[in-house]
Amino acid sequence: MNTKRWIALIVAAALLGISLVINSAFAVLQSDFTSGFNDWMGTEQTGLGEQVIETGDASNRIAVLTVDGAIQDTGDASLFAAAGYNHDLFMEQLEAVKADDSVQGVVLNVNSPGGGVVESAQIHDKITEIQEETGKPLYVSMGSMAASGGYYISAPAEKIFVNEETLTGSIGVIMQSVNYGELAERYGVDFVTIKSGPYKDIMSPTREMTEDERALLQEMLDSSYEQFVDVIEQGRDMTEAEVKEYADGRIMNGRQAVEANLADDFGYEEDVIQAMRDDFNLNGEVFEYGVSNDWTSLFAMKAGSFFGMDMETKLIADMLTQNSGPRMMYLYGDN
């Protein structure tokens, strides 16, 4: 490994250590301050601010939520990258919508290539729980992309709105890994693996997969695929045959989605809000939950600039901070 790579590795490791210290300290300080403030005010801790988009009746409101980016539970933001989609925060927002009696309708903006099977299912289940237990309607406004897991979380909506050029569909499940065993052998790298069972290193990047292993994984993916199909059947009131006509992983634009009954109409966010107002006679306030004032997210941008992180450094940082093990994904594209 050359000098540049050693420097990149040292910088990434140092940033990881600093990030852990700052995140821990900030979490403690934020928790103590918020708890004390709420005790003084006599209010419960929610941690969610609100930003009004349109004024109106405060007892008859529409909440606008947003899923932007890959749907993955990556934990707290690190210093290596500005915060993107925050799974815990979004689940907290859904819980707040459910508990707030002043919220009479929800508009969900989806701009996502999909993501984790588990995270997508969590969002879907919470949305259906809100609908069934509170009767609050939910409309989806799809952005430039709402594919795979992005469609999975949209399926329960009373109505789905797209743009003609929205990329959606990609109904299916994928699991990927990289096999660099032959390359390693060429450079004389020998991998030593000690395992407790024949399948413990399944999808190992250092050897070819056996047919038995492939069959085991295919069975898992087929089960998740059928769950995806069921979600669309229930959400879109379609038969299994109607769903599977398009559930082959294909991507489609908004016009094709409407023709396939996977979406209802065309419109941007403001059109979706107006449609909800008209359909449910809601003349109240429209709001969204405020953006978290996350110090680590701000520091992330500054850290990258300060250290001049190039692509190689970023890749090393990603290796240090992310679990790169294979996992089932409702995901479109190379993300």
Side-chain angles (χ1 to χ4, degrees), residues 82-94:
Y85 170 74
N86 185 321
H87 186 66
D88 289 341
L89 178 61
F90 184 71
M91 296 303 296
E92 186 179 353
Q93 292 174 355
L94 287 175

Side-chain angles (χ1 to χ4, degrees), residues 3 22 54 64 82 97 114 125 130 167 185 214 257 285 291 295:
T3 303
I22 291 178
E54 298 178 14
V64 177
V97 162
D125 292 349
I130 292 170
L167 289 181
E185 184 178 352
R214 186 176 296 276
E285 177 182 278
V291 178
W295 290 3

Side-chain angles (χ1 to χ4, degrees), residues 246-276:
Y246 303 100
D248 53 8
R250 75 180 68 179
I251 198 74
M252 62 183 70
N253 62 26
R255 177 183 53 77
Q256 292 169 322
V258 171
E259 293 174 353
N261 194 32
L262 294 175
D264 298 287
D265 207 346
F266 302 99
Y268 297 101
E269 178 185 322
E270 58 270 23
D271 303 312
V272 180
I273 293 172
Q274 188 58 52
M276 175 161 281

Side-chain angles (χ1 to χ4, degrees), residues 204-276:
S204 168
T206 65
R207 64 173 178 81
E208 292 290 331
M209 183 183 298
T210 69
E211 289 302 316
D212 284 347
E213 290 172 332
R214 186 176 296 276
L216 282 173
L217 294 175
Q218 188 64 56
E219 183 178 357
M220 290 168 50
L221 264 69
D222 289 345
S223 177
S224 293
Y225 169 76
E226 293 298 334
Q227 173 63 25
F228 201 158
V229 171
D230 290 343
V231 160
I232 299 174
E233 286 182 57
Q234 297 164 12
R236 298 299 300 170
D237 193 23
M238 299 170 67
T239 67
E240 180 179 351
E242 289 172 335
V243 176
K244 287 190 173 180
E245 182 179 354
Y246 303 100
D248 53 8
R250 75 180 68 179
I251 198 74
M252 62 183 70
N253 62 26
R255 177 183 53 77
Q256 292 169 322
V258 171
E259 293 174 353
N261 194 32
L262 294 175
D264 298 287
D265 207 346
F266 302 99
Y268 297 101
E269 178 185 322
E270 58 270 23
D271 303 312
V272 180
I273 293 172
Q274 188 58 52
M276 175 161 281

Side-chain angles (χ1 to χ4, degrees), residues 36-50:
F37 180 79
N38 285 321
D39 289 342
W40 179 63
M41 291 294 293
T43 58
E44 295 184 3
Q45 180 176 347
T46 64
L48 297 175
E50 294 181 3

Side-chain angles (χ1 to χ4, degrees), residues 177-182 191 193 195 198-210 213:
S177 71
V178 176
N179 186 338
Y180 49 77
E182 186 176 334
F191 295 95
T193 302
K195 54 187 180 179
Y199 302 116
K200 184 59 181 174
D201 65 339
I202 195 168
M203 285 196 84
S204 168
T206 65
R207 64 173 178 81
E208 292 290 331
M209 183 183 298
T210 69
E213 290 172 332

Side-chain angles (χ1 to χ4, degrees), residues 19 22-23 26 30 74-86 89 291-305:
S19 175
I22 291 178
N23 282 345
F26 180 71
Q30 185 182 44
T74 57
D76 294 331
S78 75
L79 294 180
F80 299 118
Y85 170 74
N86 185 321
L89 178 61
V291 178
S292 173
N293 184 19
D294 192 336
W295 290 3
T296 53
S297 297
L298 177 62
F299 196 82
M301 294 182 289
K302 297 299 182 183
S305 175

